[in-house]
Amino acid sequence: MNTNLVHFTLNGEPVEVAIEPWTTLLDYLRYHQKLVGTKKGCDHGQCGACTVLIDGNSVNSCLCLLVSLDGAEITTIEGVATADNLSLEQQIFIEEDAYQCGFCTPGQICSTIAMRNRAEINSEEELKDWMSGNLCRCAAYKNITKAARRIYEES
Amino acid sequence: MLNIGNKQKRVDGPQKVTGKATYAADITSQFYHAYVLQSTIACGSITAIDTSAAEAFEGVKGIFTHKNLPERLKNKVDYTDPLSPPGKPFRPFYNDKILYNGQPIALVVAQTFEQARYASKLIKVTYEEKKFKGSLSENLKNASADRAPEPASNRGDFKKAFKNSDYTIIREYRQSRNYHNPMEPHATSVEYKSDGSLVVYDKIQGVASSLKYLNGVFGLGADTVQVKSDFVGGAFGSGLRPQYQLFMATLAALELNHNVQMVMTRAQMFSFGYRPEVIHTMKLGCSNDGILQALSHKTVGETSTFEDFNETIVDWSGLLYKCENVNLEYELTPVQSYTPLDMRAPGGVSGVYALECAIDELAHEAGIDPLEFRRKNYVDYDQNEDKPFTSKELMACYARCEEVFGWKNRKDLSKTEPHLLTGYGMATGSWEALQQPASVSLSMNEEGTFTIKCATADIGTGTYTVMSQIAADKLGVSIEKIKFMLGDTAFPDSPIEGGSWTVSSVGSAVASVCEKFKYRIADVWKRNNPDYQAVAFGDISFQKGKLEYRSKAFSFTEIMQQASKEELSIAHSESPAEGQNTHSGYAHCCVMVEVTVDKDLGIIKVPRLVNVSAAGKIINPKTAENQLLGSMVWGLGMALREEGMVDTRYGRVMNANFAEYHIAVNADIHDIHTEFVEEKDDKVNPLGAKGVGELGIVGLAAAISNAIFDATGKRLRKLPMLLDDVLEA
Ligand code: FES
Ligand code: FES
């Protein structure tokens, strides 16, 4: 089998892995690393359940081939909290009840972190646009928007 | 402190925000991965299937088709599940027959998911095709009442009353097919143990259903298989029946003596149940002063060729308003498709859509405000059953909704943007408040921590949290002392999580088991404290983990130590309350919406949605509100977005993905509000609580349709209502 050697950091740890060229970041996380907090909702870039952070940006990991990530800094939901404390985003999601079943939640949280890192949000509409890449079939949108607004304002 | 009625944060929140909540596909044992190949025709048979190339492919461990289904799965095997409708359930790989497009025809099991998926494409299938009817409209002439259950009985003389009415309308409303599409695709992970027993992690709304199915098909009893489901990533009805991934993963595990996992793709989420397409014919008549005289509701719905799926649709029209002359008809017609499946507020959401549009049209004909019209025709008893309601605070919902929305002055509210038309609409909603039998067990350890178990589910509704609140309250301990466990066939029986009856059924059982515990701990205390032998139970109180008598307090742990007990365990089975027989239980709501329609482009937006509900005692306003809001968003999706499109030539769903099957996204939702009115109910169940998971979707699509009319003067009479409908109408 043809493999390529890739180096990156995953939740702060350096990783070197020989990987087949077709393996997506999402399958790598779930099947190889057993980091199952990142979810597969569609495998086609249509739902956002697989959202992770690459160099601080939110990315659909189902649309990323791992071989293309040499040198990248990857953070998944498992790397968001410290050993003892939930992150601000995680605390706010709980306080605002910004979920129901929780399946879309890891992706939603990663999107709020990227927003806090990178985005310039000037209106409610822009905030909703930013969060619209993450579908929530439970439709906890009102609370997700509330949480996202607080995260943007409090950080 | 009282817990019931508190905005308690979810007790499973930390797991959900850290990615530690494990759904069926998140079990990380060493699995073989299974991938399903689906038929590309809708009707006929497989003439040849060549799996040789796939078998030879690297990593492939086994391939299953109708050619090699084990003999034991053919003889007198029961493929039904607790919610099977009349007919013959689908039996995977049973023979060469094709019953619908997308039918699983081969299962490839391989070391990795990618190998299984790739190898499945190497299988060559040839078919013999037969003609078929691919849609409801194509097969209307075969619609028959014989296939459907009889609706509530007709009353009065509809024909005469309709003829004598001052205002009448005859209208047809159509709804397209909708697919559940929970964010979590259906998945089953089967662990094969060295003694041949199985642990099955299934996506299901009640583990007992999976067990029943595995028992019927594979002959596996509770002694050889345990079904678990700690977290369910939404379901909305898709998990009411075991889906084919359960069969696939179990078959492969048993045949290969290995752990097997099967996860559906998003496209495969369109290869089983759905909310059926229906056509309603409504005939309504009222007097000059707006009193409803005659009402007829006929619905024709689609089902599959092998099962007669039915819903309670037209009965809602006999229930919601006072009317003496009512005619209800329900028919089914088979189409070449998988069997439909209950989906959030099944039946109610369809029936009430047509009724609430028709009521609006009739009110308009009579020149009466739609809210006023509904008040005029209010009814305070169940005319279908001739029973009183356990409670009905719908009038209070109307009043409060009118106030919050600003219904009276709504026309003054319009912000005029020249290219936008603004409109306002409303509807009534309702959903059943049922209670089912449920069992629970409770045990307290020496540290005074309580574990309560029940085989129920938490599909995002908040079961873990709400049950913990009820227990904490009843026991007089803090919520941290409660551990509520669910989703395991080793736990006491529970009804399936559906019908909005979990709080009512399981919650009442939890309340009772806690009550029993108090008697037991009081007994233990009395037995070990001779001075208190004669104390009456009514003179004891329970607070902060202590039994209190007069000014003395004895902690539960102390009492246990005294009696040298390490654990105190109790079981309880709760039957439905008496009021469930003598009365009719329903929750109600009023919904009002504002829409804007772009004059030139036809784009429909919903800037404002207000729902006011009466649902008895609300145990947790935080989770209840969230569910209602979600349910309202579903109503918006149904009204303006969702449409499962079938290419009737092939019987295939054309838009089996999230890019083309549109569900509401965050940016679709603007000002959305829900609140509850006070509703006391001492009959519906011991908690006085009614479910809310389904209520918010009922009536909402009608309210939007009515608002579009208000804005544009056009009645669209179909769902979803799209911009080209506005432009063409
Ligand atoms: S799984 Fe990646 S966007 Fe849906
Ligand atoms: S919380 Fe269930 S999909 Fe978002």
Side-chain angles (χ1 to χ4, degrees):
Chain A
M1 190 61 66
N2 278 336
T3 57
N4 295 57
L5 204 59
V6 202
H7 306 81
F8 49 86
T9 64
L10 178 55
N11 295 331
E13 297 290 320
V15 180
E16 176 187 282
V17 65
I19 196 83
E20 284 130 9
W22 54 75
T23 302
T24 63
L25 172 58
L26 176 58
D27 285 342
Y28 172 75
L29 292 171
R30 291 187 57 85
Y31 293 134
H32 297 238
Q33 286 285 350
K34 311 269 184 207
L35 290 174
V36 293
T38 306
K39 307 300 181 194
K40 187 186 279 190
C42 70
D43 220 6
H44 280 63
Q46 298 167 349
C47 77
C50 64
T51 307
V52 299
L53 298 163
I54 298 181
D55 302 329
N57 294 314
S58 52
V59 171
N60 287 338
S61 61
C62 70
L63 293 185
C64 259
L65 295 173
L66 190 67
V67 286
S68 69
L69 294 177
D70 200 53
E73 198 180 295
I74 304 168
T75 306
T76 68
I77 192 68
E78 288 88 351
V80 168
T82 62
D84 309 310
N85 286 311
L86 295 179
S87 72
L88 177 73
E89 296 83 8
Q90 290 169 319
Q91 287 168 27
I92 291 178
F93 261 67
I94 295 176
E95 281 161 23
E96 297 297 343
D97 207 41
Y99 49 36
Q100 288 178 27
C101 76
F103 194 80
C104 71
T105 311
Q108 304 272 5
I109 290 177
C110 287
S111 286
T112 61
I113 296 172
M115 173 183 69
R116 191 200 50 177
N117 287 345
R118 294 293 144 98
E120 172 96 35
I121 301 286
N122 295 308
S123 69
E124 187 81 358
E125 292 302 298
E126 285 181 18
L127 185 81
K128 285 172 168 298
D129 268 356
W130 183 274
M131 294 307 294
S132 284
N134 294 88
L135 302 183
C136 176
R137 186 55 157 164
C138 297
Y141 293 131
K142 180 175 182 174
N143 293 354
I144 291 169
T145 304
K146 257 200 246 170
R149 191 187 308 122
R150 270 188 63 190
I151 288 164
Y152 190 71
E153 282 165 5
E154 286 178 29
S155 56
Chain B
M1 167 163 111
L2 276 192
N3 241 301
I4 291 179
N6 263 357
K7 293 195 164 191
Q8 171 68 44
K9 289 186 285 195
R10 282 176 210 251
V11 297
D12 50 348
Q15 284 156 288
K16 285 180 174 168
V17 300
T18 54
K20 292 196 179 110
T22 43
Y23 304 84
D26 296 343
I27 308 301
T28 53
S29 316
Q30 285 305 327
F31 288 107
Y32 288 166
H33 296 272
Y35 192 88
V36 154
L37 180 72
Q38 299 167 266
S39 74
T40 54
I41 67 161
C43 187
S45 52
I46 301 171
T47 49
I49 183 160
D50 176 4
T51 55
S52 53
E55 271 159 43
F57 188 73
E58 184 197 350
V60 171
K61 301 294 175 185
I63 296 185
F64 302 90
T65 67
H66 69 283
K67 293 279 202 194
N68 64 356
L69 185 74
E71 264 322 296
R72 63 191 166 84
L73 295 191
K74 296 197 165 177
N75 304 326
K76 292 211 188 117
V77 167
D78 177 8
Y79 282 84
T80 61
D81 61 75
L83 275 186
S84 291
K88 288 199 182 114
F90 172 62
R91 298 167 298 185
F93 307 151
Y94 199 75
N95 52 32
D96 58 359
K97 297 282 170 292
I98 298 297
L99 302 175
Y100 70 102
N101 202 321
Q103 175 177 323
I105 52 170
L107 180 73
V108 180
V109 185
Q111 191 76 45
T112 71
F113 165 74
E114 289 148 325
Q115 288 166 339
R117 180 175 56 186
Y118 186 82
S120 75
K121 314 292 182 213
L122 301 175
I123 298 176
K124 291 196 186 70
V125 190
T126 48
Y127 302 97
E128 188 177 284
E129 283 192 72
K130 278 200 197 140
K131 281 212 160 66
F132 61 90
K133 303 283 187 201
S135 72
L136 176 66
S137 327
E138 280 181 12
N139 207 20
L140 269 181
K141 74 169 187 327
N142 284 319
S144 144
D146 300 340
R147 302 187 74 132
E150 226 171 283
S153 32
N154 292 339
R155 55 179 182 261
D157 186 340
F158 165 76
K159 271 194 184 144
K160 193 167 142 209
F162 187 71
K163 220 168 80 200
N164 294 337
S165 294
D166 298 316
Y167 296 99
T168 58
I169 57 158
I170 299 181
R171 300 284 188 267
E172 189 177 282
Y173 302 92
R174 287 170 173 257
Q175 279 171 257
S176 63
R177 204 187 261 192
N178 286 177
Y179 283 88
H180 304 70
N181 275 305
M183 286 309 295
E184 178 202 17
H186 275 244
T188 303
S189 299
V190 180
E191 288 176 348
Y192 184 89
K193 304 291 174 189
S194 52
D195 62 355
S197 68
L198 305 181
V199 180
V200 174
Y201 300 85
D202 194 23
K203 175 172 175 109
I204 191 80
Q205 288 173 249
V207 283
S209 295
S210 309
L211 182 59
K212 152 80 181 80
Y213 182 83
L214 294 176
N215 186 260
V217 176
F218 298 100
L220 301 169
D223 49 339
T224 44
V225 62
Q226 183 183 11
V227 183
K228 300 218 270 188
S229 174
D230 285 347
F231 287 94
V232 178
F236 318 105
S238 69
L240 286 174
R241 300 183 68 187
Q243 303 306 343
Y244 63 78
Q245 88 284 346
L246 174 64
F247 174 91
M248 300 294 163
T250 309
L251 171 73
L254 290 174
E255 293 303 304
L256 301 173
N257 301 345
H258 199 277
N259 297 341
V260 175
Q261 181 176 77
M262 172 165 164
V263 187
M264 284 196 196
T265 63
R266 181 54 58 187
Q268 288 168 348
M269 291 299 290
F270 293 78
S271 65
F272 57 99
Y274 49 88
R275 192 196 300 287
E277 180 182 359
V278 291
I279 302 175
H280 309 275
T281 309
M282 308 296 296
K283 299 178 187 169
L284 272 68
C286 71
S287 58
N288 268 326
D289 54 352
I291 304 299
L292 207 51
Q293 304 295 329
L295 196 163
S296 168
H297 186 163
K298 176 180 172 179
T299 298
V300 186
E302 61 179 336
T303 185
S304 65
T305 56
F306 49 95
E307 284 174 312
D308 290 340
F309 172 82
N310 60 77
E311 304 172 291
T312 303
I313 296 181
V314 294
D315 291 20
W316 293 91
S317 283
L319 182 85
L320 246 50
Y321 298 102
K322 191 161 171 52
C323 188
E324 308 296 340
N325 305 292
V326 174
N327 175 59
L328 305 173
E329 294 173 59
Y330 181 37
E331 294 180 355
L332 292 176
T333 191
V335 305
Q336 204 69 24
S337 220
Y338 194 78
T339 310
L341 177 62
D342 282 341
M343 178 164 160
R344 202 167 202 167
V349 77
S350 304
V352 175
Y353 155 65
L355 175 66
E356 286 299 289
C357 287
I359 287 284
D360 198 79
E361 296 209 37
L362 188 62
H364 183 77
E365 290 291 317
I368 299 172
D369 177 87
L371 175 58
E372 193 46 37
F373 190 89
R374 286 171 170 87
R375 281 185 171 132
K376 275 173 182 275
N377 292 290
Y378 195 81
V379 65
D380 55 9
Y381 71 102
D382 176 349
Q383 304 156 98
N384 286 347
E385 301 264 331
D386 200 16
K387 278 180 186 172
F389 290 117
T390 60
S391 60
K392 181 176 177 179
E393 292 294 346
L394 178 58
M395 276 297 192
C397 296
Y398 286 150
R400 180 63 189 153
C401 203
E402 179 178 31
E403 181 188 334
V404 180
F405 189 83
W407 182 256
K408 276 196 188 119
N409 307 319
R410 60 192 186 278
K411 297 288 175 189
D412 312 338
L413 298 171
S414 311
K415 310 167 212 70
T416 35
E417 276 191 58
H419 66 292
L420 292 184
L421 300 166
T422 305
Y424 303 89
M426 66 155 301
T428 306
S430 179
W431 189 247
E432 300 160 326
L434 298 177
Q435 188 188 4
Q436 303 286 336
S439 302
V440 293
S441 68
L442 172 150
S443 70
M444 184 185 76
N445 65 16
E446 36 190 345
E447 278 128 46
T449 303
F450 293 83
T451 304
I452 302 176
K453 295 177 179 171
C454 176
T456 183
D458 189 335
I459 55 175
T461 44
T463 314
Y464 281 114
T465 308
V466 166
M467 297 308 151
S468 303
Q469 283 181 273
I470 294 171
D473 232 32
K474 299 289 169 188
L475 293 166
V477 301
S478 71
I479 196 161
E480 290 75 32
K481 290 280 183 196
I482 309 287
K483 185 172 167 62
F484 185 79
M485 296 174 76
L486 52 71
D488 191 328
T489 47
F491 298 163
D493 291 346
S494 155
I496 201 150
E497 181 166 43
S500 295
W501 59 47
T502 301
V503 171
S504 163
S505 312
V506 180
S508 297
V510 168
S512 295
V513 84
C514 294
E515 212 44 46
K516 267 193 184 171
F517 168 85
K518 292 195 273 193
Y519 278 96
R520 275 286 288 283
I521 194 97
D523 268 355
V524 176
W525 170 71
K526 285 199 257 178
R527 234 177 295 137
N528 289 287
N529 293 282
D531 299 354
Y532 301 118
Q533 294 257 336
V535 172
F537 184 75
D539 294 335
I540 304 172
S541 65
F542 297 85
Q543 281 176 60
K544 300 201 177 117
K546 294 191 178 95
L547 177 156
E548 291 184 14
Y549 176 66
R550 304 254 157 102
S551 53
K552 288 218 155 107
F554 307 81
S555 75
F556 293 161
T557 45
E558 240 174 87
I559 298 172
M560 296 275 280
Q561 272 165 15
Q562 253 187 356
S564 352
K565 271 184 180 289
E566 283 171 5
E567 200 179 75
L568 212 164
S569 300
I570 302 171
H572 176 75
S573 293
E574 182 91 4
S575 309
E578 177 58 22
Q580 288 277 335
N581 282 325
T582 54
H583 291 64
S584 286
Y586 288 91
H588 295 88
C589 67
C590 173
V591 56
M592 292 182 176
V593 307
E594 176 182 327
V595 304
T596 61
V597 180
D598 189 295
K599 275 183 198 164
D600 306 312
L601 304 174
I603 296 168
I604 307 164
K605 286 191 178 166
V606 185
R608 217 146 58 92
L609 274 171
V610 177
N611 166 299
V612 177
S613 291
K617 177 81 202 158
I618 301 301
I619 310 284
N620 185 339
K622 205 181 186 90
T623 53
E625 250 174 47
N626 199 342
Q627 273 208 81
L628 249 157
L629 292 167
S631 198
M632 291 163 71
V633 173
W634 270 60
L636 182 144
M638 181 184 178
L640 303 175
R641 298 279 181 274
E642 296 189 32
E643 180 173 14
M645 297 176 187
V646 178
D647 184 330
T648 55
R649 293 167 304 170
Y650 307 106
R652 189 181 304 158
V653 183
M654 295 186 287
N655 55 344
N657 58 70
F658 274 142
E660 291 157 298
Y661 183 92
H662 296 159
I663 66 169
V665 305
N666 202 320
D668 289 324
I669 306 308
H670 304 280
D671 186 353
I672 182 169
H673 173 82
T674 186
E675 59 182 79
F676 298 99
V677 297
E678 183 88 13
E679 184 176 68
K680 294 227 165 10
D681 194 324
D682 56 4
K683 297 186 188 68
V684 70
N685 56 53
L687 295 168
K690 300 175 181 175
V692 296
E694 294 171 290
L695 183 60
I697 185 177
V698 184
L700 207 135
I704 292 180
S705 178
N706 298 339
I708 291 173
F709 168 75
D710 190 46
T712 63
K714 293 173 182 175
R715 296 275 184 193
L716 301 185
R717 301 195 187 101
K718 68 167 277 258
L719 298 181
M721 297 170 284
L722 306 173
L723 55 90
D724 29 348
D725 296 318
V726 177
L727 296 177
E728 279 164 22

